[in-house]
Amino acid sequence: QYYRSLYNVEQVEILRGPNALLFGRGGTGGVVNRVSKKGVLGETFGSFAIGSNTFGAYDFTADYNVSINENRSLRIMMHRDYLDNHRNYYEGDRAGFNPTLKVKLDDSTVLDVSYEYADHERFIDRGIPTANGEPVEALADIVFGYPEVNTTTLTADILRASLTRDFSDTSKLIFTATKSEFEKMYQNLYAAGYDATAGEVALDGYLDPTSRDNLIFSLNFVNEFETGSATHTLLVGAELVDTDNANHRYNTYFTNAGAAPLANDTSGIYSGNSQLTKYDRETFLISDIRAGVFNRDEAGAAVTLDFTSSLSSRTTTEYEVTSIFIQDQIDFSDSLKILIGGRYDDYEISVTDIKASNTVYTKTEDLFSPRAGIIFKPQENTSVYL
């Protein structure tokens, strides 16, 4: 989970409603589909853009397509963003580089190969405390975190290859392979309790590093044919997904001996004036936080923060899913269409809890997702779907 930059996006498609037939477990409530730019044969063109705002943020993007010969083209896209806004401490930068090669193997076969690199870092701002379920507007200008702690980083390497084979004007085969590697770190402090009378706030947080490797193969065959006055667009496909994930979760660990709990704190963590345990929050004066002071508690005692002494969880996950699907779109006329099809998923997920003596939890399941729909178009720019 990270912010996708748009420098290499041709278009964005919003697919409303369930789309499990085409996208499996990721399409239960709708899909945002990013269509990436590809090389263009026989053309040489380029563009760049520079932008800035009044807070000091600025960005640069470049896109250049060169025709190597009549059967090959290379397109290189890149961007660099420097982030800033109206909040204290907020800053960050993002970089992306995406070369893509298009090769026409013969009159009916085209290969697209793409490599994308992403490197992101930015400040994490978790917002302000609430009282009675609403944000405390008097604290709107305070950031309850600081740059040395509240930060997230990401590096990603994504390799894609797509082979398209046209058998005729009405049938084609598309094979796609994707290999991706991600390294992400998310670390933060946030306001976990608020005492307006004492002018104090409790801070809690966590460190969450994650690495993930994905390998995805998909095969789609599309064929258009006619039966009587109806036109059929038949889609038959298969998909194989293999994911390996490793995650750690560390709680905040304040070394200071804690003071009394906040008056309105109901977490059950505190016990009178006892020492803070390694899972505890720490209480600070709001005036200190406003001044950017995070090394002393509400009583003035020195506080240090450690994110590596309190390991909450450590897991590795292996996920495999094999899917096959079929869908037929039947056009009876320009105004009436019917969709019918189904998807079969066979998946296995295995989670190893390393902290709990390498305990392994495994679940295997197979699912069938049917789909049927009617599309009625009373006029060209209106569709009714059931």
Side-chain angles (χ1 to χ4, degrees):
Q1 297 177 357
Y2 65 98
Y3 289 116
R4 268 69 168 177
S5 302
L6 302 180
Y7 73 104
N8 60 347
V9 172
E10 182 72 30
Q11 66 186 48
V12 178
E13 300 171 344
I14 310 300
L15 308 181
R16 302 179 183 180
N19 276 276
L21 187 145
L22 297 181
F23 295 94
R25 72 190 191 281
T28 56
V31 173
V32 178
N33 188 40
R34 298 160 57 249
V35 181
S36 299
K37 296 177 181 178
K38 296 181 180 180
V40 180
L41 294 174
E43 295 184 30
T44 296
F45 59 86
S47 66
F48 71 92
I50 299 175
S52 65
N53 69 20
T54 55
F55 298 114
Y58 60 95
D59 62 86
F60 170 82
T61 62
D63 177 5
Y64 186 74
N65 184 91
V66 57
S67 178
I68 301 173
N69 55 43
E70 62 180 9
N71 294 322
R72 289 175 174 81
S73 67
L74 177 66
R75 188 169 188 173
I76 298 176
M77 295 157 283
M78 63 183 69
H79 86 107
R80 188 66 185 266
D81 296 347
Y82 293 91
L83 311 177
D84 204 348
N85 67 13
H86 63 290
R87 299 281 283 168
N88 288 339
Y89 312 131
Y90 187 84
E91 64 178 4
D93 60 81
R94 303 185 303 175
F97 177 65
N98 183 195
T100 179
L101 176 69
K102 180 182 287 289
V103 180
K104 185 178 180 181
L105 301 178
D106 56 43
D107 290 340
S108 303
T109 309
V110 175
L111 174 66
D112 289 283
V113 180
S114 169
Y115 167 72
E116 181 179 0
Y117 172 76
D119 188 351
H120 298 180
E121 180 176 358
R122 64 183 176 88
F123 180 76
I124 297 297
D125 186 350
R126 292 291 303 275
I128 62 177
T130 59
N132 300 319
E134 297 183 357
V136 181
E137 293 187 13
L139 307 178
D141 63 334
I142 303 177
V143 176
F144 292 86
Y146 58 101
E148 290 78 7
V149 170
N150 286 56
T151 185
T152 183
T153 60
L154 168 97
T155 58
D157 294 277
I158 306 168
L159 180 64
R160 300 184 181 93
S162 178
L163 184 70
T164 302
R165 172 75 175 180
D166 292 326
F167 295 103
S168 68
D169 293 338
T170 59
S171 65
K172 70 169 60 177
L173 184 72
I174 305 171
F175 173 74
T176 303
T178 303
K179 179 70 170 70
S180 57
E181 298 179 356
F182 302 91
E183 293 285 344
K184 181 182 178 182
M185 186 279 293
Y186 188 95
Q187 180 177 274
N188 68 121
L189 285 176
Y190 60 90
Y194 171 59
D195 187 337
T197 303
E200 298 172 359
V201 66
L203 297 184
D204 201 346
Y206 56 87
L207 165 63
D208 192 8
T210 302
S211 62
R212 179 174 299 172
D213 294 343
N214 292 321
L215 181 61
I216 304 172
F217 297 105
S218 64
L219 183 67
N220 295 272
F221 176 73
V222 183
N223 185 40
E224 184 178 301
F225 61 93
E226 295 183 357
T227 57
S229 61
T231 300
H232 297 256
T233 303
L234 182 67
L235 167 66
V236 180
E239 185 176 64
L240 175 65
V241 179
D242 189 338
T243 297
D244 293 319
N245 191 84
N247 175 256
H248 293 61
R249 180 69 169 247
Y250 296 94
N251 297 307
T252 50
Y253 179 34
F254 294 101
T255 58
N256 174 46
L262 293 175
N264 64 348
D265 184 80
T266 59
S267 66
I269 295 176
Y270 297 93
S271 178
N273 291 310
S274 64
Q275 299 283 320
L276 285 174
T277 69
K278 63 182 180 179
Y279 295 105
D280 268 354
R281 316 164 180 178
E282 182 58 277
T283 306
F284 299 85
L285 292 175
I286 291 177
S287 58
D288 279 347
I289 294 179
R290 185 187 293 273
V293 178
F294 290 84
N295 61 358
R296 66 188 180 207
D297 68 5
E298 82 288 359
V303 170
T304 58
L305 172 60
D306 176 13
F307 274 107
T308 60
S309 298
S310 177
L311 179 63
S312 174
S313 64
R314 182 184 177 191
T315 61
T316 60
T317 304
E318 296 180 6
Y319 181 87
E320 294 182 0
V321 59
T322 303
S323 308
I324 55 174
F325 52 89
I326 183 171
Q327 175 181 278
D328 189 12
Q329 175 181 308
I330 309 170
D331 294 22
F332 291 100
S333 66
D334 291 339
S335 59
L336 180 63
K337 309 173 189 290
I338 289 180
L339 284 172
I340 188 168
R343 179 187 183 103
Y344 172 79
D345 292 305
D346 182 271
Y347 76 86
E348 178 178 345
I349 183 169
S350 178
V351 180
T352 301
D353 190 337
I354 298 174
K355 187 180 178 184
S357 302
N358 289 318
T359 304
V360 180
Y361 305 92
T362 301
K363 182 178 179 64
T364 303
E365 188 112 30
D366 58 274
L367 299 168
F368 179 73
S369 302
R371 185 187 194 189
I374 298 176
I375 301 170
F376 176 65
K377 295 177 65 65
Q379 54 190 34
E380 180 61 29
N381 63 348
T382 305
S383 296
V384 180
Y385 175 74
L386 175 65

